[in-house]
Amino acid sequence: MRLEDTPMIIPTTKHGQTANMARIMSGQTMTTNSKSNAMKVVEINFRHPVIKNLKERVDNLEEDEEDKQLEDYANMLYDVALVNSGFMMSPEEIVLFSERLQKMVRSGLEVSDDAEVEPLPEFAEDEEKKEKVPTAWPLV
């Protein structure tokens, strides 16, 4: 996959570690839990409308201004490129990816960040069933 229809890719360099080799290396019994990830090259499609819009928004920021949402967008594009290129994500990266994705969905659907999940309702028939369950099974 080259930079035609996608905003960003992570290609394998001529002598670099492929996604499959990274999976094999992480599965070796002699490897430690330390991060021994090979350096990845990110190719950005500056012609893609998403990248153009992202750059425009960054250019419109004040000199020391930060925008967490733009940072999340950039990280999400990287995560998608990582997955599309076949690389694995660490458990920590998966958690961050999930949090960013949920924030983006909330934003797109205009759901407040502090909106909470409603508790399960109590049903009368559930309480009746609880009362009818024997506390001990009868011996035969």
Side-chain angles (χ1 to χ4, degrees):
M1 176 187 340
R2 296 312 284 175
L3 288 177
E4 292 302 317
D5 300 324
T6 185
M8 184 183 298
I9 63 170
I10 303 175
T12 302
T13 59
K14 184 176 180 181
H15 300 290
Q17 190 177 47
T18 66
N20 192 39
M21 186 55 138
R23 272 192 296 280
I24 291 169
M25 294 296 288
S26 70
Q28 295 296 316
T29 57
M30 301 304 276
T31 57
T32 62
N33 290 338
S34 66
K35 289 238 178 201
S36 60
N37 292 340
M39 183 172 37
K40 296 172 184 69
V41 175
V42 177
E43 291 184 11
I44 299 172
N45 185 352
F46 64 90
R47 299 172 295 125
H48 196 280
V50 170
I51 297 297
K52 290 170 75 172
N53 188 290
L54 186 63
K55 182 185 181 320
E56 182 180 311
R57 287 185 178 200
V58 169
D59 288 345
N60 289 335
L61 292 175
E62 297 296 322
E63 186 173 328
D64 291 333
E65 184 181 4
E66 291 184 16
D67 188 329
K68 182 68 175 147
Q69 188 176 32
L70 292 179
E71 185 180 333
D72 284 343
Y73 288 154
N75 282 321
M76 184 62 72
L77 288 171
Y78 175 78
D79 292 340
V80 169
L82 194 68
V83 171
N84 282 340
S85 298
F87 288 95
M88 291 178 34
M89 297 174 110
S90 71
E92 296 83 18
E93 290 170 325
I94 292 171
V95 168
L96 292 173
F97 175 79
S98 174
E99 289 171 356
R100 280 192 293 268
L101 185 58
Q102 288 182 42
K103 275 196 262 182
M104 290 176 65
V105 170
R106 280 179 178 258
S107 173
L109 294 175
E110 298 176 354
V111 175
S112 171
D113 287 340
D114 58 352
E116 295 183 11
V117 177
E118 294 179 8
L120 287 174
E122 292 288 328
F123 295 106
E125 64 184 47
D126 288 343
E127 291 175 12
E128 291 173 11
K129 287 180 183 176
K130 286 180 188 177
E131 293 172 6
K132 293 180 181 177
V133 174
T135 55
W137 293 100
L139 298 175
V140 181

